[in-house]
């Protein structure tokens, strides 16, 4: 594997890890929302408030389009679950062919 394959592998790694971090942010945001709802923790804690604000700014642009399409079921928001399934599908089924195509492009062939 030449330098092109290394660059393609690195780009694949970065994209894959960004999807993983988004997946993790959705899970942590959902857990924090449950902890807020059951009054286990509150926003008055400075660290918790900043963490919740940061996670909301990362997760809301991903979940907002899904929330417009999928209504809450019995007051339960299932959009985080749908988003996790979509991200997992992208990482499993779409990203490997993308990595292979990058490897071919960086190797010089088209």
């Amino acid at each position: 594997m030449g330098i092109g394959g290394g660059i393609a592998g690195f780009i694949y790694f970065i994209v894959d890890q960004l999807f993983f971090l988004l997946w993790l942010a959705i899970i942590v945001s959902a857990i924090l929302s449950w902890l807020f709802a059951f009054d286990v923790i509150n926003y008055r804690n400075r660290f918790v408030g900043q963490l919740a604000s940061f996670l909301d700014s990362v997760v809301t642009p991903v979940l907002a389009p899904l929330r417009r399409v999928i209504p809450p079921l019995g007051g339960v928001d299932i959009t985080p679950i749908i988003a996790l399934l979509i991200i997992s599908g992208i990482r499993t089924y779409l990203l490997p062919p993308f990595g292979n195509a990058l490897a071919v492009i960086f190797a010089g062939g088209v």
Side-chain angles (χ1 to χ4, degrees), residues 48-66:
V48 172
Q50 288 177 344
L51 179 64
S53 175
F54 171 74
L55 288 174
D56 283 341
S57 66
V58 170
V59 170
T60 300
V62 175
L63 297 181
L66 294 174

Side-chain angles (χ1 to χ4, degrees), residues 22-45:
L22 180 61
W23 187 84
L24 191 63
I26 291 171
I27 289 179
V28 171
S29 178
I31 291 172
L32 270 178
S33 73
W34 295 336
L35 293 175
F36 290 138
F38 293 118
D39 206 21
V40 174
I41 57 176
N42 58 24
Y43 279 108
R44 285 177 281 178
N45 183 333

Side-chain angles (χ1 to χ4, degrees), residues 1-17 95-96 98-107:
M1 173 170 23
I3 188 86
I7 292 172
F10 180 71
I11 292 171
Y12 173 83
F13 171 77
I14 293 296
V15 172
D16 183 51
Q17 293 307 306
L95 219 48
F98 169 74
N100 293 337
L102 275 178
V104 169
I105 290 170
F106 278 106

